[in-house]
């Protein structure tokens, strides 16, 4: 699998309630993340993703762009908790060592009901 494919698969598994499998398949034992709302270890983030999927079983993840540069991959997505939710534009930035994710950043911006920007967020 390419790093882009690994990042895509990781996000799809996590969004659909399979965070344990996502971490088992794709995450390094030395993994760390930079989400300000959780401790920086793999287990804490994995359990938070699992809880999010359990709380929002109809979550929708639509990937719009994936960029790769060396050991870095960035994924630009639209995440909705359900089909009536406006959702959030999210960018996940992955750093790889070999074929394993060793570091992760995620940034999100809520999608407003009305925007003055005619180009949209995607």
């Amino acid at each position: 699998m390419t790093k882009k494919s690994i990042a895509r698969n990781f996000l799809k598994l996590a969004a659909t309630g399979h965070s344990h499998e996502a971490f088992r398949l794709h995450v390094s034992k030395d993994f760390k993340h930079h989400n300000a709302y959780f401790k920086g270890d793999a287990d804490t983030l994995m359990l938070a993703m699992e809880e999010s999927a359990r709380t929002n079983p109809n979550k929708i993840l639509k990937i719009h762009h994936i960029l790769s540069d060396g050991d870095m991959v960035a994924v630009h997505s639209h995440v909705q908790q359900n089909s009536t939710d406006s959702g959030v534009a999210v960018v996940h930035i992955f750093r790889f060592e070999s074929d394993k994710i060793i570091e992760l950043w995620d940034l999100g911006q809520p999608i407003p009901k009305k925007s003055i920007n005619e180009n949209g967020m995607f």
Side-chain angles (χ1 to χ4, degrees):
M1 290 180 95
T2 66
K3 290 175 177 63
K4 288 166 83 172
S5 297
I6 292 168
R8 176 186 292 116
N9 189 254
F10 175 86
L11 290 174
K12 288 189 177 209
L13 286 169
T16 58
H18 302 285
S19 63
H20 285 273
E21 184 177 359
F23 277 75
R24 181 182 60 78
L25 290 173
H26 302 304
V27 170
S28 167
K29 65 179 179 67
D30 298 320
F31 174 85
K32 63 181 177 179
H33 70 89
H34 300 273
N35 186 309
Y37 299 100
F38 303 100
K39 287 182 62 176
D41 62 285
D43 285 342
T44 299
L45 185 61
M46 179 180 62
L47 293 173
M49 289 175 162
E50 183 180 88
E51 176 62 24
S52 175
R54 188 172 32 256
T55 305
N56 303 290
N58 298 312
K59 183 178 292 182
I60 301 164
L61 167 73
K62 183 174 181 188
I63 295 173
H64 289 270
H65 306 101
I66 302 181
L67 308 170
S68 179
D69 183 20
D71 65 352
M72 304 290 284
V73 173
V75 182
H76 178 219
S77 306
H78 182 191
V79 178
Q80 296 170 271
Q81 300 307 317
N82 58 60
S83 62
T84 62
D85 176 34
S86 296
V88 179
V90 181
V91 175
H92 288 91
I93 302 170
F94 298 86
R95 186 172 70 83
F96 285 81
E97 273 190 7
S98 299
D99 288 334
K100 295 291 184 183
I101 301 164
I102 192 155
E103 201 163 6
L104 173 63
W105 296 261
D106 57 326
L107 311 153
Q109 180 179 7
I111 298 173
K113 298 271 186 222
K114 290 188 175 198
S115 172
I116 60 171
N117 186 313
E118 68 280 3
N119 298 314
M121 296 193 58
F122 304 100

